[in-house]
Amino acid sequence: RTSFTRKRILPPLSLGINKDFAVILLYRRDYSKALEQCRKTLEIEPTFHVMSIYIAQIYELTEKYSDATAELEKTHAAVPEDSEVTYALGQAYALIGKKDEAVRISKELNQPAKQNVFLPKEAAYLYALLGGKEQAVAILQKAAEDHYLPVAEVNTDPRFDELRKDERLV
């Protein structure tokens, strides 16, 4: 039986595969290895900003909220038009108690002219952090009805552990 190792499966310069491996480690809750994989991926391509989002998620899940916020503020300054980064920053603000900033970001992202992409999973998580559980569940249900594939990650994404207890999401 062979083991699941980075060396065996990853082409060294494939950003997508390296990112996917980091996400697998994150969803397995192997946060130290996931963080290491994120950093290795950024060594390949420092402007691959999605890795900063995953680094911030790891910090959040290990209760290093100020580190998560700092990571996302830096990334948001580099790519302010990126909706995924902006959602992540709003989530970080909600987690450190900057509710006004998180609400401002949520409102900004709900204006179609301001967002380059609507991300139901990220919007739902931000609403949940702001106490909008009903809105979060409604967004996820609608995304599932619309066959939005990333919403399936809610079943494994550690950030959704609490929300997943809602029987409407089963």
Side-chain angles (χ1 to χ4, degrees):
R1 182 176 185 183
T2 60
S3 65
F4 182 67
T5 64
R6 180 180 191 277
K7 183 184 258 184
R8 291 177 196 247
I9 66 165
L10 293 183
L13 299 178
S14 170
L15 293 175
I17 293 174
N18 277 281
K19 174 195 69 82
D20 290 346
F21 188 59
V23 173
I24 288 168
L25 292 166
L26 171 65
Y27 288 178
R28 286 178 51 186
R29 293 165 168 74
D30 192 342
Y31 301 130
S32 62
K33 286 184 182 173
L35 185 58
E36 179 183 333
Q37 182 62 37
C38 288
R39 289 188 176 135
K40 286 178 181 178
T41 306
L42 281 173
E43 286 174 13
I44 297 168
E45 178 52 65
T47 63
F48 193 45
H49 299 294
V50 72
M51 299 316 296
S52 293
I53 294 170
Y54 290 117
I55 288 171
Q57 287 178 11
I58 294 163
Y59 286 149
E60 291 168 4
L61 291 163
T62 56
E63 299 180 359
K64 297 175 183 172
Y65 303 119
S66 59
D67 291 340
T69 304
E71 180 75 25
L72 290 166
E73 286 176 336
K74 175 185 70 167
T75 305
H76 189 262
V79 287
E81 71 287 348
D82 187 309
S83 292
E84 191 171 10
V85 172
T86 307
Y87 273 116
L89 182 58
Q91 294 158 4
Y93 284 152
L95 286 165
I96 63 168
K98 289 187 171 182
K99 301 286 187 193
D100 291 343
E101 285 297 308
V103 168
R104 180 191 59 75
I105 286 172
S106 177
K107 287 179 180 176
E108 175 185 318
L109 288 168
N110 282 323
Q111 296 175 21
K114 291 284 187 175
Q115 66 186 53
N116 58 2
V117 110
F118 178 66
L119 302 166
K121 187 178 103 175
E122 300 310 320
Y125 184 58
L126 180 53
Y127 276 118
L129 290 173
L130 292 171
K133 179 182 175 184
E134 293 304 314
Q135 288 171 297
V137 169
I139 289 171
L140 293 173
Q141 287 176 321
K142 173 81 168 93
E145 289 169 13
D146 291 345
H147 306 286
Y148 178 71
L149 187 58
V151 82
E153 294 174 4
V154 169
N155 293 320
T156 52
D157 189 329
R159 297 174 303 152
F160 287 88
D161 286 351
E162 276 303 307
L163 198 57
R164 221 178 6 257
K165 294 175 183 176
D166 190 302
E167 62 190 34
R168 294 172 291 177
L169 296 178
V170 176

